[in-house]
Amino acid sequence: MADERGGGEDNINDNMGNQLQLLPDHEAEEEEDDMETEDRDNEDAEKPNLITFDPSLPTSHSYLGSDMEEFHGRTVHDDDSCQTIPVLPHTAVMLVPGQTLPLQLFRPQEVSMMRSIIQKDRTFAVLANSDAGEPQAEFGTTAEIYAYREEQEYGIETVKVKAIGRQRFKVHEIRTQADGIRQAKVQILPERILPDPLSAVQLSPLSRLHMHPSSKPPTQSCKQTQRWWNNYQQRKFHCARLTPWPPWVYALYDSESLMNRVKKQLHEWDENLKDDSLPTNAVDFSYRVAACLPIDDALRLQLLKIGSAIQRLRCELDIMDRCTSLCCKQCQDTEITTKNEIFSLSLYGPMAAYVNPHGYVHETLTVYKANNLNLVGRPSTLHSWFPGYAWTIAQCRTCGSHMGWKFTATKKDLSPPRFWGLTRSAMLPRIPQGEGEEGRDGSRVFCL
């Protein structure tokens, strides 16, 4: 899927994608007829009342093939233990635990590395290389392969992989073997589970007043839900009257309260989001939100360094509260879309990682409407990440940077009839500075 040059303009992905010619010559001939056009569908674009597209289709990554060998079980390293793990080369993804990572690998070194990993614990390291110009990554995430396939395509050995992020780590040392594969000595970072902020003053005789979220009736109106939640909050923090602080102070550091606030924000970003599709565990929930936020690498690295779900959720809330729109990262002033246009077309959420035929991974955000974009080329269904939709390359109207794709339904009964997929690497969140932040030299540090 995407541009046959690795997902966009040559100067963007030449050093990131794989530039091997994997498509027949007649596909390349069509590119000669490419022309830039201005999109006019946005003028009358409206949000559909009902989405008929199956959200499970993108999660299956069917464009990689349906006959992949699947693995079960998982590898979990002990917290704070030191491990030596092979490093995935030539990747521009900052992987988050729980995030799915599809790969298409062609280089002989990468193919050999994956074959070796499959014979062992199916685990490799994805380094968190920030775009801030740091010489070497200090953090990263382990990834475990759960589906694998080898094939020959146009005489070239290809390995197709589906992996999932597992555990954060800190890099101690990286060395290169004789075969060119890098091995990283890493320390597995633990997740700090903080106790209930009122656990020290809980009175056991009052335990009968406790309510559990599972007791919440399944079908309620918005007003009934809010009334139930207020009652639950009042009973949960009744012990706060024994302390010098009011209940709302403790709610700021309560995982359930934070998760409920984040869900409210997510529903503002995406009206079609279903709570059933979100993890109930605070740690997994915080990582799911981190993987769906359309933020740049500097902010994602900041979230990845945090070792507590509560603190991570607080930072995510701060980002979601303050982020108003998304701009072109190259010219930094051209507004592409607003957070009100974000929606989910996948069970992963509004943003997920997909890989194009040249092996370049794009974390793609789905939005109803995008502005200041030009379309390049003709619509194509080849290697489409969203079955039933044809994609057209979209570039920034101001600087010409590759921003993503416009997807158009090929069948009349598909809804939405059109949408945009914007690549995270080309976007910059517009986050206005608050009071007292002028002295930070443009750095954005949230809740730390």
Side-chain angles (χ1 to χ4, degrees):
M1 145 79 215
D3 182 1
E4 312 307 341
R5 294 162 297 189
E9 288 191 319
D10 291 335
N11 61 344
I12 296 176
N13 291 330
D14 274 349
N15 59 342
M16 292 180 177
N18 192 297
Q19 303 303 314
L20 298 176
Q21 180 63 38
L22 298 180
L23 299 174
D25 291 338
H26 67 271
E27 293 289 345
E29 291 172 3
E30 289 186 6
E31 291 188 3
E32 297 176 2
D33 299 327
D34 286 354
M35 57 182 295
E36 229 176 83
T37 59
E38 184 176 343
D39 178 71
R40 300 191 180 277
D41 286 339
N42 274 337
E43 296 175 3
D44 56 354
E46 294 183 0
K47 296 182 180 180
N49 295 324
L50 178 66
I51 292 179
T52 59
F53 180 76
D54 184 359
S56 66
L57 292 178
T59 64
S60 65
H61 297 279
S62 57
Y63 55 89
L64 292 177
S66 58
D67 54 346
M68 300 184 74
E69 180 184 359
E70 296 187 355
F71 304 97
H72 302 282
R74 60 177 294 180
T75 301
V76 179
H77 299 291
D78 293 335
D79 290 345
D80 290 317
S81 65
C82 288
Q83 307 288 335
T84 301
I85 308 176
V87 176
L88 178 68
H90 309 109
T91 180
V93 177
M94 189 174 292
L95 191 65
V96 173
Q99 183 182 10
T100 298
L101 176 64
L103 296 170
Q104 293 199 74
L105 306 173
F106 317 99
R107 296 179 177 88
Q109 181 190 89
E110 297 170 340
V111 173
S112 173
M113 171 182 155
M114 284 298 161
R115 286 173 177 164
S116 175
I117 289 172
I118 287 294
Q119 301 300 322
K120 297 177 182 177
D121 60 1
R122 311 194 314 276
T123 300
F124 58 91
V126 179
L127 300 180
N129 292 299
S130 173
D131 52 10
E134 297 177 2
Q136 183 173 306
E138 297 181 359
F139 294 87
T141 304
T142 64
E144 184 176 16
I145 298 171
Y146 68 89
Y148 178 86
R149 178 186 177 194
E150 286 189 39
E151 62 180 36
Q152 279 211 349
E153 201 168 353
Y154 304 105
I156 300 170
E157 284 191 329
T158 305
V159 168
K160 299 184 177 182
V161 167
K162 297 178 192 176
I164 187 168
R166 290 299 189 198
Q167 294 172 284
R168 301 175 307 121
F169 61 75
K170 184 174 182 179
V171 179
H172 286 304
E173 178 188 3
I174 297 179
R175 55 183 177 83
T176 304
Q177 299 180 154
D179 57 4
I181 296 175
R182 294 190 299 166
Q183 296 280 345
K185 183 180 180 181
V186 303
Q187 180 182 356
I188 303 298
L189 297 176
E191 284 294 325
R192 306 296 182 189
I193 308 298
L194 301 180
D196 188 307
L198 280 170
S199 58
V201 293
Q202 291 284 4
L203 300 178
S204 54
L206 295 179
S207 59
R208 59 185 175 83
L209 296 176
H210 291 181
M211 297 173 66
H212 195 270
S214 61
S215 65
K216 179 180 178 181
T219 56
Q220 291 179 316
S221 66
C222 293
K223 290 184 178 179
Q224 288 175 322
T225 302
Q226 188 61 42
R227 196 181 306 121
W228 183 93
W229 180 256
N230 291 339
N231 190 22
Y232 170 72
Q233 291 285 83
Q234 186 177 359
R235 293 196 181 189
K236 180 173 184 179
F237 299 110
H238 68 274
C239 289
R241 68 188 67 175
L242 303 176
T243 73
W245 308 105
W248 64 265
V249 173
Y250 295 97
L252 292 175
Y253 298 91
D254 176 69
S255 59
E256 288 180 8
S257 301
L258 289 170
M259 287 173 66
N260 189 59
R261 290 175 60 193
V262 171
K263 286 178 183 177
K264 282 184 179 179
Q265 282 280 359
L266 290 176
H267 282 294
E268 289 183 12
W269 285 38
D270 182 9
E271 298 174 353
N272 301 308
L273 183 68
K274 296 180 180 179
D275 288 351
D276 297 342
S277 65
L278 298 173
T280 56
N281 176 277
V283 175
D284 296 338
F285 179 82
S286 68
Y287 283 129
R288 171 69 70 85
V289 175
C292 290
L293 287 179
I295 53 179
D296 57 6
D297 283 345
L299 287 180
R300 180 172 281 196
L301 180 59
Q302 182 181 318
L303 293 177
L304 198 62
K305 290 179 180 180
I306 299 173
S308 163
I310 290 177
Q311 191 66 8
R312 195 177 300 116
L313 287 169
R314 283 172 52 78
C315 288
E316 290 165 354
L317 263 175
D318 199 3
I319 294 171
M320 295 171 77
D321 279 336
R322 294 164 59 181
C323 178
T324 57
S325 61
L326 299 170
C327 305
C328 171
K329 188 176 182 179
Q330 186 68 26
C331 47
Q332 297 189 3
D333 193 38
T334 305
E335 183 178 290
I336 303 300
T337 190
T338 65
K339 68 178 183 181
N340 296 328
E341 302 295 337
I342 297 173
F343 76 106
S344 293
L345 206 60
S346 163
L347 294 179
Y348 289 143
M351 188 167 69
Y354 306 95
V355 61
N356 72 7
H358 293 282
Y360 187 75
V361 178
H362 289 277
E363 291 178 272
T364 305
L365 176 76
T366 50
V367 298
Y368 285 121
K369 188 176 178 181
N371 304 308
N372 299 312
L373 295 178
N374 287 335
L375 301 178
V376 180
R378 301 172 180 175
S380 172
T381 58
L382 181 67
H383 206 79
S384 179
W385 299 329
F386 301 93
Y389 286 89
W391 52 267
T392 309
I393 298 168
Q395 293 180 345
C396 175
R397 190 176 299 167
T398 304
C399 66
S401 297
H402 173 241
M403 297 301 301
W405 305 264
K406 180 183 179 181
F407 290 87
T408 310
T410 57
K411 299 179 181 177
K412 291 184 178 180
D413 58 346
L414 261 184
S415 179
R418 66 186 69 86
F419 66 93
W420 298 82
L422 305 177
T423 180
R424 184 180 72 87
S425 61
M427 294 185 296
L428 190 68
R430 179 174 286 174
I431 302 176
Q433 284 191 337
E435 295 182 7
E437 294 182 340
E438 291 79 3
R440 290 184 179 176
D441 299 327
S443 65
R444 293 162 295 168
V445 182
F446 298 90
C447 300
L448 294 181

